[in-house]
Amino acid sequence: MGHQANSYASGTTDGYLSGVQVALKILTCTSTVTGSVPAAYADSTGKLKAPRAVAPYPLTVATASAGCAGIAAVGQKPLCNATYNVVTPSGGTTRPSIVYSP
């Protein structure tokens, strides 16, 4: 997975995560979702937020089993709405800070 920063203001970096690949299993439905997700990281809280937004970085249902009828279909654009606590190194407790330099 990659990341790209588009802007930085007052300790918040806005951008997107690219190369997202998620395998989902819901009841009889098995599907994969791929694409990009808009994201914002706040230095003050150490939280990475992926808001409910589609454009300009959409996720797309890439595969869907026969059991996905009514749940997911290839080509649909699902929404991602999540907040993650970011720490460094893996398993650590220190929040990273993004330092802006033009």
Side-chain angles (χ1 to χ4, degrees), residues 24-71:
L24 300 171
K25 182 164 175 103
I26 303 168
L27 302 172
T28 60
C29 173
T30 302
S31 63
T32 57
V33 175
T34 61
S36 299
V37 176
Y41 178 75
D43 287 344
S44 63
T45 64
K47 295 192 183 292
L48 177 70
K49 293 184 179 185
R52 288 180 58 119
V54 175
Y57 311 110
L59 291 171
T60 303
V61 176
T63 65
S65 66
C68 291
I71 298 173

Side-chain angles (χ1 to χ4, degrees), residues 72-100:
V74 172
Q76 283 183 322
K77 307 290 185 198
L79 299 176
C80 174
N81 186 16
T83 300
Y84 301 95
N85 290 317
V86 179
V87 293
T88 188
S90 180
T93 58
T94 304
R95 293 189 309 258
S97 288
I98 295 175
V99 179
Y100 176 73

